[in-house]
Amino acid sequence: MKPLETKRFIDIRSELINKAKGEVLEIGSGTGINFSFYKDVSVTAIEPNPVLRKASYERAYEVKTPIHVIEGNAEQLPFADHSFDTVVGTLVLCTIPNPVKAIREISRVCKPTGTILLFEHIRHENSLLGKIQDLLTPIWKRACDGCHLNRDTIHLLRQEELEIIDIKKHVGNIFITVEARKKQK
Ligand SMILES: C[S@@+](CC[C@H](N)C(=O)[O-])C[C@H]1O[C@@H](n2cnc3c(N)ncnc32)[C@H](O)[C@@H]1O
């Protein structure tokens, strides 16, 4: 995604992360690219890849917000139910091998009053573009560390116990930002 990390992406990330409150969990923090956008919160970031995790540690050290980086897998989060006020994931559900498991875990560790903030790329709703993404996905997955270009993340989120409060489309409707919460019972 490096070529796309332009001003547009910075604005998208900043607007989304600004909504984070209280105790925050970020899943798959990568190099810690979001860390400078957090304000007045306390963050736990999990990252399974040791090389990226090291970059996250370094970035966490550079910012004012307290950010605790640990090894972790979003499919099996090492936290009790209802631990966080906000759970953040950016460009990560596309890469996680079992995104449904990860969405269930995110929902489990998020407080009933909490918010889930996501920035993802998705399978395009235009059937031709979607089919092109389907064709490219096997090569893309190999080139981009397991990233699924054609993942239908909106559908996956709607299948689970989540209520989508807000969804915005970006950059030719290939990217979305989502604000969600647990379905109120
Ligand atoms: C495309 S990178 C995005 C990194 C960063 N979040 C960003 O916005 O640039 C995908 C990230 O997902 C992480 N990842 C892959 N599988 C994961 C899993 N099971 N649990 C948590 N993170 C995972 C990768 O290690 C990588 O950091």
Side-chain angles (χ1 to χ4, degrees):
M1 290 293 157
K2 208 168 179 183
L4 288 169
E5 289 293 346
T6 57
K7 169 128 184 19
R8 184 79 195 98
F9 264 34
I10 292 169
D11 290 346
I12 293 170
R13 287 179 186 278
S14 155
E15 191 186 326
L16 185 76
I17 307 285
N18 252 311
K19 295 180 181 157
K21 290 191 177 76
E23 286 292 325
V24 179
L25 171 67
E26 180 171 338
I27 56 160
S29 58
T31 59
I33 193 163
N34 294 322
F35 290 176
S36 61
F37 302 120
Y38 288 108
K39 299 280 173 300
D40 303 322
V41 292
S42 169
V43 182
T44 301
I46 65 148
E47 173 49 56
N49 178 317
V51 176
L52 298 176
R53 194 165 60 247
K54 182 170 180 289
S56 265
Y57 285 135
E58 288 166 4
R59 199 95 34 123
Y61 188 71
E62 287 166 9
V63 299
K64 281 193 188 141
T65 302
I67 299 181
H68 181 50
V69 179
I70 59 169
E71 182 179 0
N73 175 355
E75 294 166 354
Q76 204 175 357
L77 290 168
F79 307 109
D81 297 358
H82 311 160
S83 296
F84 296 95
D85 300 292
T86 311
V87 184
V88 172
T90 64
L91 306 177
V92 66
L93 287 177
C94 53
T95 305
I96 294 176
N98 189 332
V100 170
K101 244 178 152 178
I103 293 166
R104 286 182 188 155
E105 279 294 88
I106 290 169
S107 172
R108 180 183 68 76
V109 301
C110 188
K111 290 180 184 171
T113 51
T115 308
I116 295 158
L117 302 173
L118 302 168
F119 170 39
E120 291 292 334
H121 61 75
I122 51 164
R123 189 179 190 277
H124 205 284
E125 57 206 358
N126 173 297
S127 63
L128 178 62
L129 291 175
K131 279 184 187 133
I132 294 172
Q133 287 174 298
D134 293 342
L135 284 172
L136 288 174
T137 291
I139 305 166
W140 187 271
K141 247 174 84 178
R142 275 199 295 275
C144 301
D145 253 341
C147 170
H148 295 71
L149 194 55
N150 62 346
R151 201 158 257 176
D152 191 353
T153 300
I154 299 179
H155 177 70
L156 296 179
L157 292 171
R158 289 209 163 114
Q159 274 183 327
E160 297 308 312
E161 292 280 293
L162 292 182
E163 182 188 341
I164 296 182
I165 305 164
D166 187 34
I167 183 160
K168 288 196 180 78
K169 297 192 174 176
H170 310 273
V171 198
N173 295 348
I174 284 193
F175 292 87
I176 50 165
T177 45
V178 174
E179 193 178 338
R181 66 179 172 201
K182 289 186 188 199
K183 274 196 185 132
Q184 309 295 309
K185 292 185 180 159

